[in-house]
């Protein structure tokens, strides 16, 4: 029986028929999705913190309004994704708990500090750019609720990248000090951004399974290469450079060659030793703990109203 | 059969190297605010369409939250919030028998009928 169900499931996936919450699915598929979607949601929520840092210091009202809207979008993205994950049978509180206890991870990129205003530009251009490249294929994920959430996310994400590029473009036309600030931000964020695509692909038979389930559509290296090719051209418009001496167009491959990525740094950051890991988690935990009385009060008020309605 | 997923997504570092421990569910959610399904009418004249869900203590809060989560770009003119526990759904495992009565009645479609070429406007 189990085998029949597995076959029916795989047939649907092969025919690009989306899997919906009440359909039978292999346990491993469910778990993989819960992990992936919840960690994606956590990334959106933690991702608000580095940018929230600059809301009070945005250089103009226009920039401040834009930044607030962008951070609000990230909150929205987190919520779309949490609700998609909940359809797989995990509760919101459990996911929060996994984030707060460090059991679940989030994107390593958000453990780097935002030191100058130019970082807001670079986050939009490079970090959101890398995120979009990762996320567009997820709009065709085999799991319906995730794919639908991602369509919404991707639609909204493109303003994020454009506003970031606009910040950098403005700085590139500015004073020498402004140009220096922008170049410094690019130098600090470039390598962590290309690490966002994850470790190099290995040819293990394991990734064949996620390919078969259509959770995976493109490999890490494929997407990374695509991103580097795009950015190497865009940076020319800004008149800045990417901090990689080995970055060079390779006519034969039709791609840019690039230098060696420091994977040790990547794993260090993931395992909690990045510059801001502790600060980010502490901020989240504090917000959750300090919101407890609000959650309780709202519940109590709703109960009271319910009783009143019954009595009337 | 045992295998590991090694594809790394945005913010997801797989199962190896401390990427994620056991993410299984214990269903401990007794204090959670109820879950609501949100439906939005994007334009006068169109149906309300399901857009997702959210948590709220009551209907008023669900509608307010839905405004912030699902209509930041004027996507809606009207919001319905229905507590998820009140939604009753057909079961996918019974869909064969459920839809079987309609399965062999192609004559319910206009294309089933062969009419001569010269008949116009029908």
């Amino acid at each position: 029986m189990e085998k029949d169900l597995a076959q029916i499931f795989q047939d649907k996936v092969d025919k690009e028929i989306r899997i919906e919450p009440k359909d039978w699915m292999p346990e491993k598929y469910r778990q993989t999705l819960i992990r992936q979607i919840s960690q994606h949601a956590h990334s959106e929520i933690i991702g608000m913190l580095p940018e929230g840092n600059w809301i009070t210091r945005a250089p103009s009202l226009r920039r401040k309004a834009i930044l607030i809207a962008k951070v609000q979008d990230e909150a929205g993205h987190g919520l779309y994704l949490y609700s998609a994950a909940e359809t797989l049978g995990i509760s919101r509180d459990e996911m929060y708990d996994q984030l707060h206890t460090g059991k679940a991870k989030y994107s390593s990129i958000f453990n780097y500090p935002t030191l100058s205003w130019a970082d807001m530009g670079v986050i939009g251009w490079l970090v959101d750019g890398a995120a979009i490249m990762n996320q567009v294929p997820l709009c065709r994920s085999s799991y319906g609720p995730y794919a639908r959430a991602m369509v919404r996310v991707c639609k909204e994400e493109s303003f994020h990248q454009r506003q970031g590029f606009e910040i950098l473009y403005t700085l590139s036309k500015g004073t020498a000090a402004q140009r220096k600030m922008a170049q410094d931000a690019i130098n600090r964020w470039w390598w962590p951004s290309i690490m966002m695509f994850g470790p190099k692909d290995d040819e293990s038979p394991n990734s064949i399974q996620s390919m078969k389930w259509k959770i995976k559509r493109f490999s890490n290296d494929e997407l990374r290469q695509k991103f580097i090719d795009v950015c190497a051209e865009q940076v020319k418009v800004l008149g800045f450079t990417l901090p990689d001496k080995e970055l060079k167009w390779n006519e034969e491959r039709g791609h840019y060659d690039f230098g060696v990525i420091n994977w040790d740094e990547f794993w260090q950051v993931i395992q909690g030793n990045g510059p801001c890991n502790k600060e980010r988690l502490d901020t989240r935990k504090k917000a959750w703990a300090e919101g407890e009385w609000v959650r309780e009060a709202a519940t109590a008020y709703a109960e009271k109203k319910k009783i009143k309605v019954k009595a009337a | 059969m045992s295998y590991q997923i090694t594809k790394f997504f945005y913010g997801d570092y797989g199962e190896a190297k401390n990427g994620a421990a056991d993410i299984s569910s214990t269903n401990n959610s007794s204090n959670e605010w109820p879950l609501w399904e949100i439906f939005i009418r994007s334009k006068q004249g169109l149906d309300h369409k399901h857009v997702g869900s959210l948590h709220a203590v009551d209907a008023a809060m669900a509608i307010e939250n839905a405004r912030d989560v699902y209509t930041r770009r004027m996507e809606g003119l009207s919001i319905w919030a229905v507590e998820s526990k009140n939604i009753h759904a057909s079961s996918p495992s019974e869909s064969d028998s459920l839809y079987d009565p309609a399965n062999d009645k192609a004559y319910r479609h206009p294309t089933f009928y062969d009419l001569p070429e010269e008949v116009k406007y029908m």
Side-chain angles (χ1 to χ4, degrees):
Chain A
M1 187 60 186
E2 180 88 345
K3 192 155 192 197
D4 292 347
L5 290 170
Q7 194 52 52
I8 293 168
F9 169 85
Q10 189 60 52
D11 287 348
K12 274 195 218 161
V13 171
D14 290 345
K15 280 189 251 165
E16 299 284 339
I17 295 172
R18 297 282 178 265
I19 305 302
E20 295 295 342
K22 293 183 88 181
D23 294 343
W24 185 91
M25 61 187 84
E27 197 44 38
K28 190 77 185 169
Y29 176 85
R30 181 191 301 276
Q31 278 172 19
T32 303
L33 277 169
I34 287 179
R35 195 193 65 228
Q36 186 186 318
I37 301 171
S38 66
Q39 297 193 168
H40 190 164
H42 299 328
S43 302
E44 301 283 354
I45 296 302
I46 296 285
M48 291 193 281
L49 302 177
E51 289 180 298
N53 184 30
W54 280 90
I55 289 176
T56 55
R57 289 172 287 167
S60 69
L61 187 57
R62 176 177 183 268
R63 294 290 182 204
K64 194 196 287 274
I66 292 169
L67 192 56
I68 290 172
K70 179 177 188 295
V71 171
Q72 197 188 6
D73 271 357
E74 310 297 0
H77 298 174
L79 293 173
Y80 307 153
L81 291 162
Y82 281 130
S83 83
E86 280 172 275
T87 63
L88 291 156
I90 186 167
S91 74
R92 183 77 59 97
D93 281 1
E94 276 178 279
M95 287 187 274
Y96 287 160
D97 192 54
Q98 289 171 351
L99 173 65
H100 298 157
T101 56
K103 205 167 161 189
K105 301 294 164 190
Y106 54 85
S107 185
S108 60
I109 195 82
F110 301 119
N111 290 316
Y112 290 87
T114 44
L115 303 179
S116 75
W117 170 251
D119 288 27
M120 297 304 98
V122 176
I123 286 182
W125 176 41
L126 294 180
V127 176
D128 291 319
I132 291 170
M133 208 145 274
N134 261 315
Q135 288 169 353
V136 168
L138 296 177
C139 297
R140 293 189 296 129
S141 159
S142 58
Y143 188 58
Y146 191 29
R148 290 192 288 275
M150 288 315 301
V151 168
R152 207 180 291 275
V153 169
C154 287
K155 264 190 208 160
E156 299 182 351
E157 203 69 55
S158 104
F159 122 65
H160 297 180
Q161 194 185 15
R162 291 174 67 107
Q163 67 87 35
F165 196 86
E166 194 200 66
I167 289 174
L168 292 176
Y169 189 69
T170 307
L171 290 174
S172 78
K173 304 274 172 232
T175 63
Q178 285 171 323
R179 284 198 300 277
K180 189 164 167 259
M181 177 171 77
Q183 182 64 60
D184 168 68
I186 293 171
N187 293 350
R188 280 182 289 110
W189 288 92
W190 172 249
W191 289 102
S193 298
I194 62 173
M195 287 177 197
M196 281 175 72
F197 293 92
K200 282 175 79 66
D201 301 325
D202 50 16
E203 261 82 49
S204 76
N206 308 329
S207 61
I208 294 169
Q209 180 64 62
S210 58
M211 200 68 110
K212 208 174 143 206
W213 280 340
K214 303 210 171 156
I215 293 176
K216 171 181 179 165
R217 297 271 182 178
F218 298 98
S219 75
N220 299 344
D221 285 336
E222 272 175 292
L223 290 173
R224 182 173 11 250
Q225 182 70 61
K226 204 172 147 197
F227 179 70
I228 290 171
D229 290 347
V230 168
C231 292
E233 291 300 318
Q234 288 173 348
V235 77
K236 292 178 189 167
V237 180
L238 295 171
F240 296 131
T241 55
L242 297 174
D244 181 356
K245 291 206 165 46
E246 291 169 56
L247 189 76
K248 215 178 115 210
W249 178 252
N250 183 327
E251 193 67 55
E252 202 178 309
R253 290 202 310 129
H255 290 293
Y256 276 89
D257 289 336
F258 54 96
V260 181
I261 294 169
N262 182 352
W263 290 114
D264 184 49
E265 174 185 327
F266 175 77
W267 288 115
Q268 284 291 332
V269 176
I270 297 217
Q271 277 156 22
N273 305 321
C276 299
N277 291 58
K278 191 174 176 311
E279 187 189 327
R280 300 288 185 240
L281 265 191
D282 286 349
T283 308
R284 264 314 299 163
K285 282 191 274 193
K286 184 164 171 269
W288 180 247
E290 289 181 356
E292 189 169 357
W293 73 269
V294 180
R295 295 191 295 276
E296 274 175 16
T299 308
Y301 180 67
E303 285 301 320
K304 199 173 91 181
K305 268 203 309 188
K306 241 188 248 168
I307 292 165
K308 261 195 195 155
V309 169
K310 264 191 203 146
Chain B
M1 192 168 106
S2 163
Y3 42 71
Q4 267 199 334
I5 306 297
T6 53
K7 169 63 187 170
F8 299 90
F9 291 95
Y10 186 48
D12 177 17
Y13 301 107
E15 292 160 25
K17 292 219 197 188
N18 201 18
D22 173 26
I23 302 231
S24 55
S25 170
T26 52
N27 272 323
N28 180 20
S29 56
S30 44
N31 294 325
E32 250 180 35
W33 289 351
L35 190 67
W36 299 73
E37 300 300 322
I38 304 301
F39 300 81
I40 295 201
R41 184 204 297 286
S42 58
K43 214 173 124 185
Q44 294 290 106
L46 295 182
D47 295 321
H48 285 76
K49 199 176 149 205
H50 184 246
V51 290
S53 57
L54 50 76
H55 290 271
V57 283
D58 58 20
M61 190 197 264
I63 288 174
E64 242 172 61
N65 288 356
R67 180 204 57 191
D68 292 342
V69 178
Y70 294 108
T71 66
R72 286 191 303 281
R73 289 173 176 76
M74 303 293 295
E75 290 96 334
L77 295 169
S78 164
I79 298 171
W80 284 354
V82 182
E83 207 177 328
S84 308
K85 67 176 185 197
N86 293 327
I87 302 235
H88 301 268
S90 61
S91 161
S93 59
E94 288 160 12
S95 60
D96 283 351
S97 57
L98 190 63
Y99 302 114
D100 181 63
N103 199 21
D104 57 354
K105 296 177 180 64
Y107 47 82
R108 282 177 170 158
H109 296 278
T111 47
F112 179 78
Y113 301 92
D114 293 323
L115 298 188
E117 287 276 328
E118 52 272 33
V119 180
K120 304 287 181 206
Y121 306 112
M122 188 183 285

